[in-house]
Amino acid sequence: MAKPQRIEVNESANISVVRFKDQKIIDPVAIQELGQELFELVEKEERRKIVLNFGNVEFLSSAALGKLITFEKKAKRIGAELILTNISPEIYQVFAITNLDKLFKIMDGEADALAVL
Amino acid sequence: MASSNSNAERTLRASLPSNLTDYHAFIQTTLDHLAQLGWGKCELFGIHMALEESISNAIRHGNKEDPAKRVQVECRLSPSRFWISVCDEGAGFQPESVPDCCAADRLEVIGGRGLALMQAYMTRLQYNDRGNCLVMEKVLAGPSPNGACCCE
């Protein structure tokens, strides 16, 4: 993959830890690029254990949620495991309001996810 | 953007173009005013969400990003009340026709979460009969019906 613009990916024992570069995930072009970069992780690079670290994310729109749902569906279809971590209370509330806390596997910290993947 | 201030209430008005980038400055200005009026971080997050979803819905679904159409926004701000009207030039829609995106069998459906988020964060939300104008209100003293405010 060309150097990603929206995410930073680090490998740790066959687990890909993804951090978001944008603090606010709102812009439609940025969301489109973010989706493509996430999709490539499972579709082209065949990564099968992924942690999405939201530590840098202060705000995200429902359009960004939609892209994350698409990513979750692709990952599930391919057989990749996905865990979301380091979600702020405000962002977690967005997941809870929309019941997406029941769709995604969410853990407190990156270490928690690395321990179970 | 036009604005008027008094000690108790500030009014912001804007006619926004139908693209998905130019409205962010209006949102930031509104949030800055609310912060000056003493609104806290968690309430500002919910209002940010309501502004983002209502205006982007008007541009995307209402005006269908038609550059010939505008979105008219008016905000009335006070230390305890946030009020907003968002009107687009589209055909309108019936909010009750939007499927419940939060239902267990619809969690993987991509869209439809903006309305649920606005309802959760606001005290009151109402569309006109045509469905192209939305009025929302958040009253600081009263919890929203779903209790979506404090994140502690």
Side-chain angles (χ1 to χ4, degrees):
Chain A
M1 175 162 67
K3 185 173 172 58
Q5 300 299 305
R6 301 297 168 190
I7 58 175
E8 178 186 303
V9 185
N10 289 296
E11 286 291 320
S12 176
N14 287 335
I15 301 171
S16 301
V17 178
V18 177
R19 293 181 180 84
F20 299 93
K21 291 183 179 178
D22 295 312
Q23 290 182 310
K24 296 179 180 179
I25 307 177
I26 303 171
D27 179 75
V29 174
I31 291 171
Q32 184 68 18
E33 290 175 353
L34 171 63
Q36 286 306 316
E37 292 174 9
L38 289 174
F39 300 163
E40 284 192 18
L41 291 177
V42 292
E43 291 178 334
K44 290 187 178 173
E45 301 185 20
E46 300 183 345
R47 304 190 192 214
R48 294 293 176 262
K49 295 181 178 184
I50 298 171
V51 176
L52 294 185
N53 183 325
F54 280 73
N56 190 43
V57 179
E58 295 178 355
F59 188 88
L60 81 178
S61 67
S62 68
L65 290 177
K67 197 61 75 177
L68 289 172
I69 293 165
T70 303
F71 180 53
E72 186 273 343
K73 290 164 75 172
K74 285 180 186 288
K76 185 191 288 181
R77 191 179 67 237
I78 289 170
E81 292 181 80
L82 176 64
I83 298 179
L84 281 51
T85 70
N86 299 83
I87 298 178
S88 72
E90 289 87 356
I91 300 285
Y92 185 84
Q93 193 172 46
V94 171
F95 280 85
I97 288 168
T98 52
N99 269 351
L100 292 177
D101 56 335
K102 297 178 176 62
L103 179 68
F104 291 99
K105 188 168 186 178
I106 298 175
M107 302 187 84
D108 285 344
E110 201 175 289
D112 301 309
L114 294 175
V116 299
L117 280 172
Chain B
M1 177 168 33
S3 66
S4 63
N5 294 338
S6 71
N7 287 337
E9 188 165 287
R10 302 178 185 184
T11 301
L12 306 176
R13 294 186 189 87
S15 174
L16 301 170
S18 293
N19 68 64
L20 290 166
T21 52
D22 286 352
Y23 64 90
H24 293 120
F26 175 81
I27 289 180
Q28 191 55 55
T29 298
T30 304
L31 295 173
D32 289 345
H33 277 279
L34 287 166
Q36 290 167 11
L37 289 166
W39 287 70
K41 178 187 172 193
C42 190
E43 286 75 20
L44 289 175
F45 182 94
I47 291 172
H48 189 177
M49 185 64 74
L51 284 161
E52 169 64 34
E53 297 300 331
S54 61
I55 296 173
S56 65
N57 276 350
I59 292 169
R60 183 183 286 119
H61 302 301
N63 287 351
K64 302 192 184 308
E65 300 184 53
D66 180 346
K69 295 179 177 175
R70 311 284 294 189
V71 173
Q72 306 299 329
V73 185
E74 179 176 335
C75 292
R76 298 173 196 162
L77 317 174
S78 82
S80 61
R81 180 172 170 263
F82 164 79
W83 181 97
I84 182 171
S85 165
V86 181
C87 292
D88 62 58
E89 298 182 56
F93 81 114
Q94 298 305 310
E96 57 272 17
S97 69
V98 177
D100 179 9
C101 65
C102 305
D105 61 344
R106 294 186 58 83
L107 292 182
E108 288 194 325
V109 174
I110 305 301
R113 285 172 180 78
L115 185 59
L117 288 164
M118 289 188 286
Q119 286 172 331
Y121 284 115
M122 293 290 106
T123 309
R124 183 173 72 89
L125 179 151
Q126 189 167 22
Y127 281 90
N128 65 354
D129 289 342
R130 177 173 149 187
N132 71 320
C133 281
L134 167 66
V135 169
M136 294 187 290
E137 183 178 47
K138 184 173 184 66
V139 180
L140 199 52
S144 74
N146 294 321
C149 175
C150 296
C151 305
E152 291 81 8

